[in-house]
């Protein structure tokens, strides 16, 4: 789970790092428009985290995370083709909601896998993984943007990280993880 989380969380971090650069370089956003874009993302992220709880309860965390990753992969393709400011704001709205939902579901899964009395240890490792998960995505994005001269091509690398995380996440056995944590089936 931690390897899958590292990959898709690296993509999450890359979204935040490069969204402003993409907006200013590709769509010629002003500083004010970029601030508004991030406000839209933050508000929708909070709504996604709160609203996706019922979905996570119904589907289970692995399937819920997988659903958010599928949407985020599609969004990276959409972002690579975006043509207008209003379209980019729509991308920010959906992206924010999915990122909030993804992060909430990821924490739920970790909580289920943490053995009683070891939650702080597990969440500490989770936090450390998050800190390191801001390396590969920015490197890939930068190298692809430099090599191709295109931020549109580089944005697809983010989708590749989401996809790699999704593929590895499918190997995570929720039932076994809960059993090993002492939480039963």
């Amino acid at each position: 789970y931690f390897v899958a989380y590292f990959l898709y969380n690296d993509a999450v971090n890359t979204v935040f790092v490069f969204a402003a650069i993409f907006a200013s370089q590709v769509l010629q956003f002003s500083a004010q428009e970029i601030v508004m874009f991030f406000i839209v993302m933050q508000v929708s992220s909070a709504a996604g985290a709160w609203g996706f709880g019922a979905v996570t309860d119904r589907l289970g965390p692995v399937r819920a995370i997988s659903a958010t990753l599928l949407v985020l992969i599609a969004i990276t393709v959409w972002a690579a083709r975006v043509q207008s400011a209003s379209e980019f704001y729509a991308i920010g709205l959906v992206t924010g909601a999915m990122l909030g939902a993804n992060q909430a579901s990821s924490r739920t899964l970790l909580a289920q896998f943490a053995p009683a009395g070891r939650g702080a240890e597990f969440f500490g490792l989770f936090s450390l993984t998050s800190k390191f998960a801001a390396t590969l995505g920015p490197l890939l994005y930068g190298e692809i943007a430099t090599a191709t001269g295109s931020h549109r091509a580089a944005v697809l690398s983010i989708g590749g990280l989401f996809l790699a995380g999704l593929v590895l996440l499918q190997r995570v056995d929720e039932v076994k993880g809960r059993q090993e944590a002492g939480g039963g089936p």
Side-chain angles (χ1 to χ4, degrees):
Y1 173 59
F2 279 110
V3 175
Y5 176 74
F6 173 85
L7 290 170
Y8 70 74
N9 198 53
D10 203 329
V12 167
N13 290 329
T14 305
V15 167
F16 286 111
V17 170
F18 284 96
I21 295 168
F22 184 90
S24 68
Q25 296 292 315
V26 176
L27 300 170
Q28 283 71 52
F29 268 35
S30 67
Q32 184 178 2
E33 289 172 311
I34 291 170
V35 168
M36 184 56 66
F37 175 79
F38 279 109
I39 290 170
V40 166
M41 273 189 69
Q42 292 301 319
V43 170
S44 67
S45 180
W50 180 77
F52 211 71
V55 174
T56 302
D57 289 344
R58 193 173 83 245
L59 296 178
V62 168
R63 289 174 55 197
I65 296 166
S66 297
T68 66
L69 293 174
L70 287 169
V71 173
L72 288 165
I73 291 165
I75 289 171
T76 60
V77 174
W78 183 16
R81 301 173 53 100
V82 66
Q83 296 299 314
S84 69
S86 60
E87 191 179 5
F88 197 65
Y89 281 116
I91 288 170
L93 185 69
V94 177
T95 300
M98 288 299 102
L99 293 178
N102 176 282
Q103 295 301 289
S105 297
S106 294
R107 286 177 180 84
T108 299
L109 182 59
L110 182 67
Q112 290 179 1
F113 286 174
R118 294 187 60 202
E121 202 177 315
F122 272 62
F123 275 94
L125 182 57
F126 190 74
S127 179
L128 183 63
T129 303
S130 292
K131 300 294 183 247
F132 284 115
T135 52
L136 185 59
L139 179 65
L140 282 171
Y141 188 101
E143 289 297 320
I144 292 170
T146 300
T148 65
S150 170
H151 287 278
R152 292 182 185 279
V155 90
L156 294 173
S157 69
I158 300 170
L161 287 171
F162 283 132
L163 179 60
L166 174 64
V167 168
L168 286 176
L169 185 65
Q170 302 317 298
R171 298 183 54 127
V172 173
D173 186 337
E174 268 183 270
V175 173
K176 184 177 179 185
R178 283 193 304 268
Q179 288 172 341
E180 288 180 6

